[in-house]
Amino acid sequence: VQLQASGGGLVQAGDSLRLSCAASERTSDSKIMAWFRQAPGEEREFVASITWRLGITTYADSLKGRFTISRDNGKSTVYLQVNNLKPEDAAVYYCATGPVRSRDISAYAYRGQGTQVTVSS
């Protein structure tokens, strides 16, 4: 499974952004799609996940409210809508896919290359 993330860029604090992650295929090993992010000098952090079949979502507790994950099964694409961006949201955002729901990146066998989000204050 190949993942292609896009939609990052330079935005101002308070702006909104929608990231996309297109999957080349959906298999039994890629039932869950997730977003992680990694800021410079920080560990990779779980953001949200969603199941392809029923659209069940899971969010990092600290990010609930401003982040929304969704999917378009017809396009095999998952989205991450981020509202009211803050400087601390600046990071490389990665999408990943795996067979089970997890907040641990090691559970996801397939990972995209990441898209950079920069937030100016």
Side-chain angles (χ1 to χ4, degrees):
V1 180
Q2 294 184 347
L3 303 174
Q4 182 68 47
S6 61
L10 173 62
V11 298
Q12 292 188 334
D15 285 352
S16 297
L17 200 64
R18 189 176 80 158
L19 307 180
S20 301
C21 178
S24 61
E25 59 182 315
R26 304 208 309 263
T27 71
S28 59
D29 287 336
S30 61
K31 296 178 181 178
I32 314 299
M33 290 288 288
W35 286 97
F36 290 80
R37 68 182 187 180
Q38 188 168 20
E42 302 289 333
E43 292 189 355
R44 197 165 299 191
E45 175 187 25
F46 171 78
V47 176
S49 68
I50 190 167
T51 66
W52 280 119
R53 191 169 72 90
L54 297 178
I56 298 172
T57 58
T58 304
Y59 293 94
D61 291 340
S62 61
L63 301 178
K64 282 182 181 177
R66 295 191 298 116
F67 290 72
T68 303
I69 190 170
S70 62
R71 92 273 193 229
D72 183 332
N73 286 27
K75 296 181 179 179
S76 293
T77 298
V78 170
Y79 305 99
L80 183 69
Q81 176 74 33
V82 188
N83 296 326
N84 189 22
L85 277 152
K86 304 177 184 298
E88 53 264 38
D89 293 322
V92 177
Y93 284 72
Y94 299 90
C95 56
T97 189
V100 297
R101 284 196 293 167
S102 175
R103 297 170 188 257
D104 188 340
I105 187 69
S106 65
Y108 297 87
Y110 305 98
R111 305 167 195 176
Q113 85 290 356
T115 184
Q116 176 74 50
V117 174
T118 303
V119 184
S120 64
S121 57

